[in-house]
Amino acid sequence: MTSYLIFMATLAGIYALLSLGLVTIWGQGGMVNLGLVGFYAVGAYTSALLSKAGVPIGISLACAALVAGAVGVVLSYVTRPLRGDYLAIVSLGFAEVIRLIATNEKWLTGGSDGLSGIRSPLKVELGAAHPWFYLLLVWAIVGATAFCLTRLFRSPYGRALRAVRDDEQVAAVAGKPVLQLKLKTFFVGAALSGVAGGVYAHLTSYIAPDGFVPLLTIYIFLAATAGGYTRVLGAVVGSVAVVALLESTRFAAAVIPGLTAVQIASLREFVIAISLIVIMQLKPEGMFRSVNQKAAPERAPQQIPRAPVIKPAQSSNDGLASRA
């Protein structure tokens, strides 16, 4: 039971990384990205292939972030005229294309059989303590990412990004580089998804195309919506809540008599769908509402020495009058 809880807590951390990527692209940038699982898959396969080739795991994770981020920039640039629902549809198709490539390119990805034997850091050295180490490692990455994103969103870049999200045309008229901001935002969000994919690959030591289905994107959207899709803290709390909900429904469905395994799986998805509808009705902004970010306090103006006051000289008539 302890191993199961540790694995679920680690998985919640991976979901938190994905939710933070979604908050960056959707909550702060205003771009609806349904291709989240595509970047997740790109990062997982990149890190797995590099580590199997002998590259150190840390470098493999960094390369996974860079490759996923670069793919995100290309997708964002190609779809730059699209907004709202059209961007969501195209990004969803992108994720499906990535999954089909992973299924058919057997020489690279192993096809539907997937890749196995992916190395995990210090697994042999730590032995039974390795799950605890990996749990702490994942949540350390989540904490560092949350700290950096909080600082980034409070910076002038974050304020300009929210200006583009609220009204793109007004931001462009105000001189904001709209396209450049969008590309950078997509890079950051996709890179975080790539890191999450790499961490997942090294956690399970096995990846296959079946692990990158669009349903995972729905889970992450539920996590971001439940916590607050514009808040860093909301993404982390929402991810923990979603994983707890998924696993609790697994046990609850098992005690209901007369249900087959397929019906139990369908019941879990039904509960997730109902939860998303209830949250959207009762808490449209999630547990943590969006707040207006205030600009950093301006520096106090320097004290300028005041010019000496020169009193007007008394007129000569006044002097004569006084003598008189």
Side-chain angles (χ1 to χ4, degrees):
M1 189 65 179
T2 303
S3 301
Y4 170 75
L5 293 177
I6 293 173
F7 180 80
M8 287 298 111
T10 309
L11 191 64
I14 295 174
Y15 277 28
L17 284 174
L18 287 168
S19 298
L20 289 173
L22 184 61
V23 164
T24 304
I25 296 177
W26 179 38
Q28 299 291 321
M31 295 173 283
V32 183
N33 174 25
L34 292 181
L36 203 65
V37 71
F39 304 116
Y40 182 63
V42 169
Y45 277 102
T46 301
S47 188
L49 290 172
L50 290 177
S51 63
K52 287 177 73 69
V55 178
I57 295 175
I59 298 177
S60 301
L61 286 175
C63 292
L66 292 176
V67 172
V71 174
V73 169
V74 172
L75 179 65
S76 178
Y77 185 79
V78 172
T79 60
R80 63 188 184 280
L82 303 180
R83 298 186 184 89
D85 299 339
Y86 299 101
L87 177 60
I89 294 171
V90 172
S91 58
L92 181 63
F94 157 77
E96 191 63 13
V97 167
I98 295 296
R99 193 180 68 84
L100 292 176
I101 291 175
T103 304
N104 293 289
E105 300 299 327
K106 296 182 179 180
W107 62 274
L108 181 64
T109 63
S112 57
D113 295 334
L115 296 175
S116 59
I118 303 170
R119 292 186 292 123
S120 186
L122 301 178
K123 188 172 185 178
V124 178
E125 293 81 355
L126 295 177
H130 178 263
W132 288 101
F133 163 75
Y134 210 84
L135 172 65
L136 295 177
L137 176 64
V138 170
W139 279 102
I141 296 174
V142 172
T145 304
F147 175 78
C148 293
L149 287 182
T150 302
R151 301 280 296 179
L152 181 66
F153 295 158
R154 290 178 179 174
S155 68
Y157 167 81
R159 292 192 290 273
L161 187 59
R162 286 188 292 277
V164 173
R165 176 197 62 187
D166 295 338
D167 198 319
E168 186 175 326
Q169 293 182 349
V170 172
V173 171
K176 304 300 180 185
V178 175
L179 180 59
Q180 185 180 359
L181 286 169
K182 285 186 173 181
L183 295 179
K184 289 181 179 178
T185 304
F186 234 98
F187 176 84
V188 174
L192 290 177
S193 301
V195 171
V199 170
Y200 174 77
H202 295 294
L203 170 66
T204 59
S205 298
Y206 171 76
I207 55 174
D210 294 340
F212 306 105
V213 293
L215 185 61
L216 179 60
T217 302
I218 304 301
Y219 291 161
I220 303 306
F221 262 84
L222 176 59
T225 305
Y229 71 100
T230 61
R231 303 288 300 277
V232 171
L233 180 60
V236 177
V237 175
S239 301
V240 175
V242 164
V243 172
L245 177 64
L246 287 172
E247 297 310 310
S248 62
T249 53
R250 183 193 301 277
F251 290 107
V255 299
I256 299 176
L259 292 181
T260 63
V262 176
Q263 290 173 331
I264 290 174
S266 301
L267 180 61
R268 293 183 64 203
E269 296 177 7
F270 176 76
V271 170
I272 293 297
I274 293 297
S275 302
L276 183 58
I277 293 173
V278 170
I279 290 171
M280 293 300 293
Q281 290 293 327
L282 300 180
K283 290 280 189 180
E285 294 187 357
M287 290 181 282
F288 299 92
R289 301 178 60 183
S290 60
V291 295
N292 294 324
Q293 299 287 342
K294 296 181 180 179
E298 297 181 356
R299 297 179 58 184
Q302 297 180 353
Q303 296 294 331
I304 302 175
R306 300 179 61 182
V309 178
I310 302 175
K311 296 182 179 179
Q314 294 182 347
S315 62
S316 58
N317 295 333
D318 296 342
L320 293 174
S322 62
R323 293 194 192 103

